[in-house]
Amino acid sequence: LKFTCLTLFPELIESWSKTGLVGGAIKKNLLTIETLNPRKFTSDIHQSVDDTVYGGSDGMVLKFEPLAKAIESLGPAHVVFLTPQGTPWTHAKAQEFVHHSNIVLVCGRYAGFDQRLIETFADDEISIGDYILNGGEVAALAVMESVARLIPGVLGNKQSVVRESFAEGLLEAPAFTRPREVNGMPVPSPLLSGNHALIAQFEHDVALVRTRVRRPELLTGEQAAEAVKSAERLKFLSSSELKALGLRLEDL
Ligand SMILES: C[S@@+](CC[C@H](N)C(=O)[O-])C[C@H]1O[C@@H](n2cnc3c(N)ncnc32)[C@H](O)[C@@H]1O
């Protein structure tokens, strides 16, 4: 999978792509990340990519021509504009993107894009949330990092991707490590049982109940009904074990 970021600030993408799991994935040739600066496609001495807004509002808008030429120079690809007005970015969308071989991420700046760029080139328009960033680069990093994790071989442990929050539509059950007790909160007893089937059932029950408490809109009707049974099954836990799980008696 190759990502090309069209950005006026390629250094933001480049420093990130050298670090951590993403840097490792690039070294293993599982992923390619390139940048292209639209300023290379300008013809004036100032290399201007922006101009004043028609209609008299404040601010500058990214011009059609340099970005259009930059996009066209990259050949066939899935072209994605990062904008606060786009489709909300989700795990499901990341799972869709991992099947593309060539993705171009177009990062805006200033007051955004001349709308005709989006109308001409966008295969997708993505927002990472209902707030305004200064530019599309942070959004592009969020998109690339969440897709990279889904490429087979990028994470050491295959199970991580399957069990993580959202992978099966649920929030993951909380995790614990030594010591066994902190501030009166013990590691819940099923996790110490060594019984893998029991642990899997327990974690599934906790995942369902936590999702019902924190993000009820994620549950299907079937899962919501299942969560009622899960809550029943968790009633044996002490209040301190529940606290350790981020739950309260009234959540069951
Ligand atoms: C200051 S914003 C422009 C906002 C635009 N004037 C509006 O109100 O819709 C500059 C650029 O940051 C990026 N951006 C800002 N917020 C974003 C978000 N929530 N998701 C994705 N990209 C975002 C876009 O690329 C956008 O073109």
Side-chain angles (χ1 to χ4, degrees):
L1 170 58
K2 177 178 169 183
F3 282 108
T4 307
C5 295
L6 276 188
T7 168
L8 297 171
F9 297 94
E11 61 279 13
L12 289 176
I13 309 290
E14 284 155 11
S15 66
W16 163 85
S17 69
K18 291 192 185 103
T19 49
L21 287 171
V22 169
I26 292 171
K27 278 199 192 125
K28 286 193 255 172
N29 285 326
L30 297 171
L31 176 67
T32 304
I33 292 178
E34 288 183 358
T35 58
L36 182 61
N37 192 332
R39 283 200 202 281
K40 291 196 178 132
F41 298 84
T42 53
S43 44
D44 63 313
I45 188 164
H46 301 295
Q47 295 191 299
S48 26
V49 288
D50 56 325
D51 205 341
T52 51
V53 188
Y54 274 119
S57 340
D58 277 352
M60 303 296 277
V61 168
L62 289 167
K63 299 202 294 187
F64 187 87
E65 208 186 335
L67 271 99
K69 283 186 177 162
I71 295 168
E72 280 163 353
S73 78
L74 293 169
H78 189 72
V79 177
V80 181
F81 279 70
L82 282 325
T83 85
Q85 303 185 18
T87 308
W89 183 244
T90 57
H91 187 77
K93 221 42 195 155
Q95 279 170 324
E96 194 185 304
F97 271 35
V98 79
H99 298 296
H100 290 294
S101 50
N102 214 348
I103 298 178
V104 172
L105 297 175
V106 191
C107 303
R109 278 274 155 179
Y110 318 121
F113 305 101
D114 182 312
Q115 181 64 28
R116 292 165 296 185
L117 277 162
I118 297 175
E119 301 311 321
T120 308
F121 294 107
D123 295 311
D124 246 311
E125 199 182 328
I126 295 292
S127 161
I128 63 159
D130 290 347
Y131 42 78
I132 302 292
L133 302 163
N134 291 338
E137 290 76 11
V138 167
L141 298 187
V143 167
M144 291 190 288
E145 192 157 306
S146 49
V147 173
R149 295 174 63 77
L150 302 178
I151 300 172
V154 169
L155 295 189
N157 179 356
K158 271 191 208 153
Q159 278 306 309
S160 316
V161 177
V162 181
R163 294 183 30 153
E164 266 170 346
S165 296
F166 310 113
E168 285 165 350
L170 299 178
L171 303 182
E172 191 184 22
F176 303 93
T177 185
R178 277 181 280 257
R180 278 202 186 187
E181 186 162 330
V182 174
N183 291 338
M185 291 179 282
V187 174
S189 53
L191 298 177
L192 306 172
S193 68
N195 177 336
H196 294 297
L198 182 96
I199 294 172
Q201 178 66 58
F202 174 74
E203 288 184 329
H204 185 62
D205 287 336
V206 173
L208 274 165
V209 173
R210 266 175 71 99
T211 310
R212 185 177 72 171
V213 171
R214 295 179 167 228
R215 298 288 304 277
E217 78 283 5
L218 294 177
L219 295 178
T220 61
E222 211 172 294
Q223 286 171 325
E226 223 191 309
V228 175
K229 292 184 197 151
S230 293
E232 270 308 309
R233 277 196 291 272
L234 294 179
K235 284 196 170 146
F236 73 91
L237 290 166
S238 68
S239 58
S240 52
E241 284 174 305
L242 279 174
K243 187 164 185 237
L245 288 164
L247 293 171
R248 291 160 309 166
L249 213 51
E250 49 272 37
D251 294 329
L252 300 182

